[in-house]
Amino acid sequence: MVIEKICCLGAGYVGGPTCSVIAWKCPDIKVTVCDKSVERINQWNSEKLPIYEPGLDDVVQKCRGRNLFFSTDIAKSIQEADLIFISVNTPTKTIGNGKGRAADLKYIEGAARMIADLATSNKIVVEKSTVPVKAAEIIMKILRANTKPGVEYQILSNPEFLAEGTAIDDLVEAERVLIGGEDTPEGHKAIQELCWVYEHWIPAKNILTTNTWSSELSKLAANAFLAQRISSINSLSAVCEATGADVSEVARAVGRDSRIGPKFLEASIGFGGSCFQKDILNLIYLSECLNLPEVAAYWQQVVNLNDYQKNRFTRKVIESLFNTVSDKKIAILGFSFKKNTGDTRESPAICVSKTLLDEGAKLHIYDPKVETDQIYYELTHPQVTNEPEIVRKNIEIHRSAYSAVTGAHAIVLCTEWDEFKELDFKKIYTDRQYKGAGQSDLTLTCIYCEKLASFLTDNVLQLILYV
Ligand code: ADP
């Protein structure tokens, strides 16, 4: 079989950018990205795409309508496709067994059932969403239990390693593509078909093939290792603050060791995003189910340290404002979980904002790419304890950083957006003191973490922190 048509189920952060790049690099393949959300598909077909990702607009512009299509006609695209990517969401379970840790596979199962119902010819089904180990088995069971005459399935695991904010570069210059399949002649053949798609632009040496379970576990392991590095340096940031050491100097010295390397060693308020916490929790849950409590406890500590860091940062904010933030105006700069994305899932800014709101603060929030409704949603949705009406009364969303910080008692930098580097902190400080809310006895405090500190020149830092 030569792959002529690809269908992708799920037009989210994974499916959208991945399939856009496949369409761009493989003009001989027709790629249709489907979603059951009409609104999402309409956005993909509009001028304003539903996700912000540097370079994505250009790629979509080049290919949309040529060999890249966004559609809600799931039945048609499943039927005509040779290969189907499953890129649906796999949130952490909120009820039942494994609640708060295990992944909820209902969307994966739903996608597999749809394929089983609709397919009328052979398909290669590729699991792309991050899933717990052995999820491919579920897809396999559903598909093979519902096989129609003349329809055969091969199930592959092809986890996505892109990082939000650099997704397009990560896809175009992928350090590795991982493809797992069954150890049978048919399995090997399916792996080769998917390799062929990637070989349009990825050197063959960067494409790794394994068995399905190694592929699934590698994805969880990669995210667990990355998150662990962040928790490791964050744990040391607390030690540095207690001893007078400078965590960025420690990171620089440690990172020079080629066995360790310099990347991912910047101390921060903590990691966020849809994957790190979720994948580690999956790994913990898997370890517990395999009766490996020591392994589970080891990885649990990475998550605990992340919660500790977010709380420690917020405590510092409150302490530096004389232990009370009640009715104080606090500017929150940045709400996405990192720069160059509008994604707020598990963003540390949520935890910081919620605690400050609980303490009675008035928050003035600005983020270059997060929509106003999304900020309200994150701070008011049902799992949040704050009363929605009170939250709405106590937050104001701004369209610029300067507007958010005007008259603020404190500026809390939550995301390392480049544009915050350009802010004239000296001017903000003087404006605050002389023209601000008229409370010149209150110090403008710039709470910062090491990742953000590099934004401020030493001079300005001192000015803001120590006056
Ligand atoms: P991710 O970050 O993993 O890409 P998202 O939540 O951004 O996750 O995107 C997943 C998308 O999958 C959502 O837009 C959701 O509507 C879609 N989806 C879930 N189940 C199905 C399905 N059976 N068919 C098509 N789309 C689906």
Side-chain angles (χ1 to χ4, degrees), residues 26 66 108 112 118 143 145 182 197 269 322 330 384 406:
C26 309
R66 183 191 76 182
I108 295 264
L118 297 163
L143 293 179
E182 283 180 287
V197 174
I269 318 175
F322 315 117
I330 299 183
V384 179
T406 304

Side-chain angles (χ1 to χ4, degrees), residues 2-169:
V2 174
I3 291 162
E4 289 174 355
K5 292 189 177 120
I6 290 179
C7 159
C8 174
L9 297 178
Y13 284 90
V14 172
T18 309
C19 285
S20 299
V21 169
I22 292 178
W24 176 34
K25 295 292 180 183
C26 309
D28 50 335
I29 301 177
K30 176 183 172 188
V31 182
T32 309
V33 186
C34 296
D35 205 293
K36 51 186 189 184
S37 158
V38 178
E39 190 194 346
R40 236 193 194 177
I41 291 300
N42 286 345
Q43 287 174 316
W44 278 106
N45 281 321
S46 74
E47 286 308 299
K48 190 165 184 294
L49 302 183
I51 63 176
Y52 171 71
E53 196 57 69
L56 178 64
D57 281 14
D58 282 351
V59 176
V60 171
Q61 210 95 74
K62 275 193 203 105
C63 311
R64 196 172 52 191
R66 183 191 76 182
N67 67 328
L68 174 64
F69 302 90
F70 295 93
S71 166
T72 48
D73 192 346
I74 300 178
K76 177 169 172 258
S77 20
I78 287 179
Q79 275 163 350
E80 67 178 21
D82 307 308
L83 183 147
I84 302 169
F85 283 116
I86 300 185
S87 309
V88 301
N89 34 342
T90 50
T92 304
K93 279 181 84 169
T94 52
I95 48 168
N97 215 355
K99 169 182 160 184
R101 291 172 316 158
D104 189 341
L105 295 180
K106 68 177 174 202
Y107 299 106
I108 295 264
E109 190 185 323
R113 289 194 189 284
M114 258 180 193
I115 299 171
D117 280 350
L118 297 163
T120 48
S121 58
N122 294 351
K123 309 284 174 202
I124 298 174
V125 177
V126 185
E127 158 194 87
K128 203 146 206 27
S129 318
T130 306
V131 289
V133 178
K134 295 275 178 184
E137 202 163 61
I138 299 176
I139 302 176
M140 228 174 255
K141 278 188 182 150
I142 292 173
L143 293 179
R144 297 208 173 133
N146 294 289
T147 306
K148 299 171 199 141
V151 182
E152 278 176 23
Y153 298 104
Q154 277 302 315
I155 291 91
L156 302 178
S157 157
N158 172 219
E160 191 45 75
F161 291 109
L162 64 80
E164 284 174 36
T166 52
I168 301 300
D169 286 349

Side-chain angles (χ1 to χ4, degrees), residues 252-328:
R252 189 158 55 107
V254 171
R256 278 295 174 92
D257 186 327
S258 60
R259 292 165 302 176
I260 298 172
K263 292 183 182 163
F264 257 59
L265 279 185
E266 284 164 86
S268 65
I269 318 175
F271 56 76
S274 69
C275 291
F276 283 1
Q277 171 140 329
K278 189 180 82 177
D279 289 359
I280 299 184
L281 292 175
N282 264 331
L283 189 58
I284 295 165
Y285 188 66
L286 174 73
S287 308
E288 279 177 9
C289 294
L290 296 171
N291 202 15
L292 303 168
E294 288 80 3
V295 179
Y298 177 78
W299 290 107
Q300 180 64 49
Q301 192 53 29
V302 173
V303 177
N304 295 353
L305 205 289
N306 200 47
D307 291 337
Y308 162 79
Q309 185 77 347
K310 288 186 276 191
N311 293 330
R312 197 171 74 83
F313 177 80
T314 319
R315 262 202 326 273
K316 266 175 76 179
V317 175
I318 297 168
E319 274 165 23
S320 69
L321 289 165
F322 315 117
N323 282 313
T324 174
V325 292
S326 178
D327 284 332
K328 285 181 183 164

